[in-house]
Amino acid sequence: MMIRMKEKTITKEDIFLKARMISEGVNLQISEDLSPEQYRSWILGKAANAEQVKIPEKLNFDDPESIIALFAEVNKTDISSDFRQEIIFDNNGLRAPVYPNKRSRLDFLIEGENVTVSEDGKSLVTGEFLKRLDWLDEKLSNGLPVSTVLPSMSAAIINVVFNLSCMNFNTNRGCRYCNLFANPISRKISMLPLDTLRLWAKYQGEAIKIAIDNGWRGILAISGGAFAPAQRGEYLERLTLVLDIIKEAIGDKMYDTLPMVYNHYPPEDFSDMYKWKELGINATSFDLEVMDDAYFAAICPGKVAYKPLSYLKKAQEYSVEVFGPLLGTISCVVMGIEPMSCLVEGFDERMSKGILPFPLVFHPEPGSAYEGFRNPTAEWIVEASEKMANSFMKYLLKWLKPAMDRAKETRGDIYEFSAGSTPTTRLSVVFDEIGIRLNKLLGGRSVSELMEGKKKK
Ligand code: SF4
């Protein structure tokens, strides 16, 4: 596969500004283009609406439709699938988040689809303010909006959720920064009945079909909260059930085209990964969250009760055998919780084994145990990102060929490493730093041309 470099000039100043937007947030300026509802939901977040909804003492699992309807109700102001949470810088395509913070010195003015970020009256950057996708308001067959069953979707990812609650969160052992299943419905679910899961999967299938019909092409991430110990043995049956329904909804051809990453607990028996492969999965993301064992135990008390961090690392190494290195075996990491040296050394060690960590900056969510804790500073984010980008470049050539060969065996086009096309997100600047380095390394060549030893243009 040929990957062409797209010309983009990312500067250190742009990266620092993005890091500031992640760290400090932005002071939203009232504008005609921002409706009062939008402003309110941004400021208050989803927790506010959830608290206003009347939740029955006991959920009626004999009527699974009522459970899905309640989910829709508590998530009415959930903006996790709202593309307006990020902007794209005009000059180089960097993506940055929009975290409202009245105390931020960065003013954020919206005019139509354009945004200006300024400080003390001086414009620092202009950008595009992505419109909410109209089709998220289209209706499923039960009359509820598509957004109800696509939590935290983006242009790149749809989460295929195969457990609607998290046992760790419900037993006060949730990961300290996480609020994914903090809603009052999930809190009442300890073991999700199969009938409710089947119905949820049916609506997720309908929603993914609508997304695809509207041009969405991204990665399906198989995720969900932690199972209760008594239910863990059923995980493969549940996974198969959900994926079969999704496949039926979108058709075999499309199902075989979309990349699919398993983003949940590692299995008791690593050889299950070969069964996942048969189901169509072609990558794993066993999220380490932090690199240090002791921090892991403190920050993810529920996860560590299942397995220590070393087990997740072994599972990742097994995954490199099954799904290949780099984008075949990724791992989300929260940066800004543990000391920089742990993070950076851990990143280097994982890269040396072919595992690609995805560092996302710590941003404790409302409703999580760490709500209100401070984010790392922009300086910290940039320094750590530069060090991790160095490690990435150190190991890239070692792993690129086996990774590309493996990708060809599966769904080829998940490979996107070039100067203008790294798997960056709005919450991370590591891959933007990597973009700068790739620019120098490639010098106008494609990655394939680099592998063939062609000279810089
Ligand atoms: S990150 Fe932790 S708390 Fe959040 S859903 Fe996963 S296991 Fe539960």
Side-chain angles (χ1 to χ4, degrees):
M1 183 181 58
M2 200 73 134
I3 303 172
R4 284 281 166 201
M5 190 184 79
K6 294 175 205 156
E7 276 305 331
K8 287 182 180 173
T9 42
I10 299 173
T11 64
K12 288 282 180 191
E13 287 73 26
D14 293 321
I15 286 188
F16 187 67
L17 177 59
K18 174 174 171 178
R20 281 190 67 191
M21 288 177 70
I22 296 173
S23 175
E24 298 167 34
V26 291
N27 187 6
L28 284 184
Q29 304 297 298
I30 298 291
S31 133
E32 283 176 13
D33 298 302
L34 191 61
S35 70
E37 294 76 34
Q38 183 87 59
Y39 187 81
R40 189 174 170 278
S41 67
W42 254 349
I43 298 295
L44 298 176
K46 58 183 167 183
N49 179 61
E51 276 158 23
Q52 291 160 13
V53 178
K54 267 202 163 335
I55 310 293
E57 195 58 39
K58 211 163 171 284
L59 299 180
N60 180 6
F61 286 108
D62 292 333
D63 179 9
E65 289 285 1
S66 70
I67 313 267
I68 310 286
L70 276 172
F71 262 113
E73 195 58 32
V74 297
N75 287 332
K76 239 183 196 160
T77 54
D78 180 1
I79 51 164
S80 64
S81 59
D82 196 323
F83 283 20
R84 291 188 151 204
Q85 291 180 92
E86 72 179 38
I87 65 160
I88 300 183
F89 289 7
D90 285 333
N91 50 348
N92 52 32
L94 280 189
R95 308 176 92 87
V98 183
Y99 289 138
N101 173 14
K102 273 191 272 188
R103 292 181 189 84
S104 172
R105 288 170 52 198
L106 298 172
D107 291 326
F108 189 88
L109 180 68
I110 301 158
E111 289 162 302
E113 286 168 31
N114 302 315
V115 167
T116 305
V117 181
S118 57
E119 185 170 27
D120 298 331
K122 184 179 163 228
S123 168
L124 301 178
V125 81
T126 57
E128 188 188 346
F129 187 47
L130 295 181
K131 270 189 165 169
R132 189 172 201 276
L133 298 170
D134 293 341
W135 55 262
L136 282 169
D137 297 322
E138 278 186 34
K139 299 284 185 278
L140 303 167
S141 59
N142 59 0
L144 294 171
V146 164
S147 55
T148 308
V149 290
L150 296 184
S152 307
M153 72 117 1
S154 70
I157 286 184
I158 282 181
N159 290 297
V160 174
V161 180
F162 80 122
N163 193 21
L164 294 178
S165 65
C166 176
M167 177 48 74
N168 295 340
F169 191 89
N170 288 350
T171 53
N172 289 327
R173 292 186 303 174
C175 305
R176 310 323 267 168
Y177 45 79
C178 174
N179 74 345
L180 286 177
F181 295 97
N183 72 75
I185 310 298
S186 294
R187 284 185 203 187
K188 284 182 182 283
I189 300 174
S190 55
M191 300 232 268
L192 185 71
L194 273 177
D195 281 347
T196 314
L197 178 65
R198 197 171 285 118
L199 196 67
W200 170 266
K202 173 185 154 195
Y203 293 132
Q204 278 222 295
E206 288 179 15
I208 295 168
K209 172 81 169 64
I210 290 172
I212 289 167
D213 289 348
N214 281 280
W216 181 88
R217 295 291 181 278
I219 297 171
L220 297 178
I222 321 299
S223 60
F227 287 108
Q231 218 173 16
R232 273 186 209 135
E234 293 175 17
Y235 96 95
L236 199 52
E237 182 194 342
R238 287 170 177 263
L239 176 67
T240 309
L241 178 150
V242 169
L243 292 185
D244 283 351
I245 292 173
I246 305 282
K247 190 176 194 174
E248 167 118 32
I250 65 176
D252 291 8
K253 205 169 158 210
M254 182 53 68
Y255 184 87
D256 289 341
T257 310
L258 294 177
M260 232 184 267
V261 57
Y262 183 90
N263 179 210
H264 205 262
Y265 274 14
E268 295 277 357
D269 180 349
F270 289 165
S271 70
D272 280 5
M273 289 186 221
Y274 287 103
K275 296 180 187 154
W276 302 353
K277 209 171 182 181
E278 280 165 25
L279 288 172
I281 289 167
N282 47 20
T284 63
S285 181
F286 302 129
D287 297 341
L288 299 181
E289 317 294 356
V290 284
M291 296 295 189
D292 179 82
D293 303 68
Y295 273 92
F296 183 69
I299 285 157
C300 301
K303 281 190 177 185
V304 83
Y306 171 60
K307 299 283 180 198
L309 194 63
S310 55
Y311 186 86
L312 272 76
K313 289 182 179 172
K314 280 202 190 92
Q316 292 178 332
E317 288 152 30
Y318 193 95
S319 169
V320 171
E321 299 294 317
V322 182
F323 297 106
L326 299 182
L327 288 178
T329 306
I330 61 176
S331 171
C332 290
V333 178
V334 185
M335 59 185 283
I337 289 187
E338 62 194 326
M340 193 190 296
S341 56
C342 291
L343 173 71
V344 168
E345 282 162 25
F347 187 100
D348 192 85
E349 187 274 333
R350 288 291 84 191
M351 274 299 300
S352 75
K353 296 201 157 69
I355 295 121
L356 177 61
F358 267 61
L360 303 169
V361 178
F362 175 51
H363 188 82
E365 298 294 340
S368 69
Y370 279 3
E371 177 178 355
F373 274 43
R374 210 169 160 239
N375 305 333
T377 64
E379 287 82 0
W380 194 100
I381 295 169
V382 170
E383 187 184 340
S385 299
E386 284 175 347
K387 289 179 174 164
M388 289 187 281
N390 290 342
S391 287
F392 178 89
M393 297 308 289
K394 185 164 88 182
Y395 295 110
L396 178 64
L397 291 187
K398 173 177 176 189
W399 294 113
L400 198 52
K401 173 120 183 28
M404 290 174 86
D405 289 348
R406 190 60 63 96
K408 266 185 227 148
E409 274 171 30
T410 53
R411 292 172 195 181
D413 284 348
I414 57 173
Y415 245 84
E416 294 240 339
F417 280 127
S418 68
S421 181
T422 57
T424 186
T425 78
R426 64 177 188 258
L427 297 182
S428 168
V429 298
V430 176
F431 288 98
D432 303 320
E433 283 285 348
I434 287 169
I436 293 181
R437 286 160 176 73
L438 279 175
N439 213 357
K440 279 191 202 141
L441 175 73
L442 294 171
R445 295 168 295 181
S446 68
V447 169
S448 306
E449 285 167 346
L450 169 79
M451 311 282 295
E452 288 156 14
K454 286 206 176 156
K455 294 225 158 59
K456 288 183 188 180
K457 288 172 182 161

